[in-house]
Amino acid sequence: MAIDDLIRLASSLRDDVEDLAKRMEYEGTADCVYNPLMYAWEIHAEYLRLAGAGSAKTILLGMNPGPHGMGQVGIPFAATSVVRDLLGITGLEVGKPRVTHAKRPVNGLSHPKEEVSGTRLWGVLAQRYGSALEIFENVFVANHCPLMIFSGPRATNVTPDNARGPATKMLLDRCDQHLRELVSSLRAHTVIGVGKFAESRAEKALEGMGTTILSCWHPSPASPLANRNGGADWRENICSVLP
C-alpha cells in the first residue's frame, strides 16, 4: 500500500537525519538542528495518510522547513490555519526538539504566527483544486530536507544551500536518496522545484530516471518575485507549471 510505504520511507529518513543533525552540531556547522519528523511525527504521519490517499503523479518540492511552518507541525509549507482548516488535522500533540533554542520555541498547532510561504502555497492549491482530497489527486507536497539548521545566539536560520561540512554533504545525499524513493513510491512523473535549490537537487537526484523537472518561484515574502504585483505574478508563475 502506498501510504504504508510513504510512512516507512519517512520514518527511515527521520532516524537517519537525526544522527546527521547531531554530527552537524558536533562539527560546528550549526549550534542546534531541529528535526520536525522526530518531534512532530504524529502530525507528519497523519499528513502522509491524507496526502498518500490521492493519486498525484506530480511532486511539489520545497527546500526545508520554515520556523513557523513545518518547523512547528511537521507538514511541508505548513501554516497553522492551513493545517486546521484545509487539511483538517487537529488535536495532535507535538513534542519538543532534542535541543531547544530559546529564540526558536516550538508550539505545535497552537503556534501564533502563520508561515506566509505556507498560506500562499496552500492557498493557491486550494483555489485551483478545491479540498485537500482534490489537491492530493493532483500534487503531493514535500520538502527535500526535513531539518532546520540554526546558528549563533539569535538562532539564525541557515538554509541547506548555505550549510557546510562533511555531515551536510551526507545530509543532502540522504535527502536525494529519499526523493528518489518518494518518486518511485508515488510513481511520479514530474517534480516541480519550488525555488532554484529544490530544482537543482531534483535534477541531481533524479538524473537518469526519466522524471520531468520543472520549477516555480518560491513564495517567500523575502522574495521580490513573490511579492510583485501583490503576489499575482507569483500565482501566475506557479499555476503555469501545476497539472
Side-chain angles (χ1 to χ4, degrees), residues 216-240:
C216 65
W217 302 338
H218 197 284
S220 170
S223 167
L225 290 174
N227 296 326
R228 201 165 67 188
N229 289 332
D233 288 1
W234 172 79
R235 290 189 292 273
E236 181 180 353
N237 176 263
I238 188 173
C239 286
S240 70

Side-chain angles (χ1 to χ4, degrees), residues 139-160:
V139 295
F140 183 97
V141 183
N143 270 328
H144 177 261
C145 174
L147 298 182
M148 283 194 301
I149 305 162
F150 297 125
S151 181
R154 297 180 61 85
T156 301
N157 188 23
V158 180
T159 52

